[in-house]
Amino acid sequence: MITLTEARQLLAEMTKSASLLRHMRTVELVMEAYADKFGESKEEWAVAGLLHDADYEVHPEQHPGVIVQKLRDAGEEKIAHAISAHYTKWNVPYTNQLDKALLACDEITGFIVACCQVRPDGIATLESKSVIKRLKDKSFAAKVDREEVYKGAELLGVDLQEHIAFIIDVLRRNRAELGI
């Protein structure tokens, strides 16, 4: 299996944007925490979170095809499949918990970080009910696809409010590193 060290090297070759790197790190942390909760491989899930948008900066028109192919070439079919399925409109089937978790964590994690950026105390006092209220405001973080947020939680089989609270807790524990 590809290690986190190898994944970080691959990521460094493809991505330079600080905001995109932070996004992938936040998803990595959340995926690792969910793997722990579900009794899955923390490293495998962390790698999927870390690399899910690795090709977006250099190959936006081909995303996620480039990173998916690199992973397949390295024999990482399970991670490659999860990354190829992290947006429902790509019509890739969800065959396992990893696929569903990556979908469920991607958009909402980015949205939660956006919520933190408009709060004077960042994530320190953020609650899931505030995030849910912001989700209803279509003009806030308008690029976040709300359908993906709702569908992700549904496919993962988690209550949206509890899902958001879980993610907030993970990010809060890492707030200094993430700058939120």
Side-chain angles (χ1 to χ4, degrees):
M1 187 183 98
I2 186 172
T3 66
L4 267 170
T5 301
E6 292 166 335
R8 288 186 206 299
Q9 291 169 345
L10 181 57
L11 181 62
E13 294 169 13
M14 302 181 82
T15 306
K16 305 297 181 217
S17 162
S19 63
L20 188 54
L21 287 168
R22 179 174 69 178
H23 169 66
M24 288 183 283
R25 175 69 173 140
T26 60
V27 177
E28 172 195 358
L29 290 165
V30 172
M31 289 292 291
E32 183 178 53
Y34 261 125
D36 189 46
K37 180 178 181 171
F38 294 142
E40 298 283 348
S41 167
K42 292 194 316 187
E43 186 155 19
E44 179 179 61
W45 284 43
V47 167
L50 183 65
L51 293 180
H52 79 282
D53 282 341
D55 62 358
Y56 184 76
E57 185 175 28
V58 289
H59 302 287
E61 308 304 320
Q62 297 167 303
H63 172 67
V66 174
I67 190 61
V68 166
Q69 191 58 54
K70 284 181 181 288
L71 289 164
R72 285 191 170 129
D73 291 346
E76 292 294 343
E77 181 56 37
K78 187 175 178 186
I79 295 171
H81 185 269
I83 291 173
S84 71
H86 80 272
Y87 186 58
T88 61
K89 291 165 183 74
W90 292 333
N91 296 314
V92 175
Y94 297 90
T95 59
N96 58 52
Q97 280 292 87
L98 176 60
D99 298 350
K100 296 169 187 175
L102 187 56
L103 171 68
C105 294
D106 181 25
E107 289 287 300
I108 192 61
T109 299
F111 190 82
I112 290 169
V113 170
C115 290
C116 295
Q117 292 175 324
V118 297
R119 297 173 57 87
D121 64 349
I123 201 164
T125 61
L126 182 64
E127 296 180 14
S128 57
K129 64 182 179 183
S130 299
V131 175
I132 288 174
K133 183 177 178 183
R134 286 272 188 188
L135 277 169
K136 295 175 184 171
D137 178 359
K138 303 274 193 254
S139 64
F140 180 78
K143 290 184 179 179
V144 172
D145 188 334
R146 272 66 170 171
E147 284 181 42
E148 294 294 291
V149 169
Y150 299 123
K151 187 66 174 174
E154 177 188 327
L155 282 172
L156 190 57
V158 294
D159 173 79
L160 182 60
Q161 190 159 342
E162 291 172 12
H163 179 50
I164 291 169
F166 181 86
I167 294 169
I168 290 170
D169 182 57
V170 171
L171 298 181
R172 189 176 284 141
R173 290 190 309 256
N174 296 279
R175 76 179 290 203
E177 174 196 345
L178 299 172
I180 56 172

